[in-house]
Amino acid sequence: MLEAGKDGLLPKKLAETNEYDVPVKFLVMQGIIVSIWAAVLTFGGSGANVSFFTAISLTVVIYLVGYIIFFISYLTVVLKFKELPRALKFLVEHP
């Protein structure tokens, strides 16, 4: 997230760093969000099994979304920049 802040992808308030180059405001916000989710999964629901399966399902969804974004970005690069040299030619027209 530090690099995202340096690249201007985060709001300026969250991208501010301290003297050790640590984005403290962002880390505090991330800690609060994770703590709230942990509390909801721990104390919410009707039992430990439901909370566990919810946590596992959320993890699967997060990873699945990441892989989908990765695949879409791959297709975008392949289709936009056809002239780039590639070691693996997948979904690209061969001469």
Side-chain angles (χ1 to χ4, degrees):
M1 286 291 126
L2 178 62
E3 291 302 318
K6 287 180 182 177
D7 291 342
L9 298 174
L10 295 175
K12 291 186 191 264
K13 286 287 186 186
L14 293 178
E16 292 175 359
T17 59
N18 64 5
E19 65 270 11
Y20 300 108
D21 207 28
V22 175
V24 175
K25 291 179 183 177
F26 183 81
L27 289 177
V28 169
M29 182 191 70
Q30 183 180 8
I32 290 170
I33 291 171
V34 169
S35 298
I36 289 171
W37 274 112
V40 167
L41 290 174
T42 302
F43 303 119
S46 59
N49 285 339
V50 173
S51 297
F52 176 76
F53 288 128
T54 303
I56 294 296
S57 298
L58 288 173
T59 303
V60 168
V61 168
I62 288 170
Y63 276 97
L64 181 63
V65 168
Y67 282 118
I68 290 171
I69 291 171
F70 179 71
F71 183 69
I72 290 171
S73 63
Y74 170 76
L75 289 177
T76 303
V77 168
V78 165
L79 296 175
K80 275 190 171 182
F81 305 103
K82 294 180 181 180
E83 69 280 353
L84 290 176
R86 294 182 174 81
L88 175 66
K89 296 190 186 252
F90 180 69
L91 296 177
V92 179
E93 296 178 18
H94 296 283

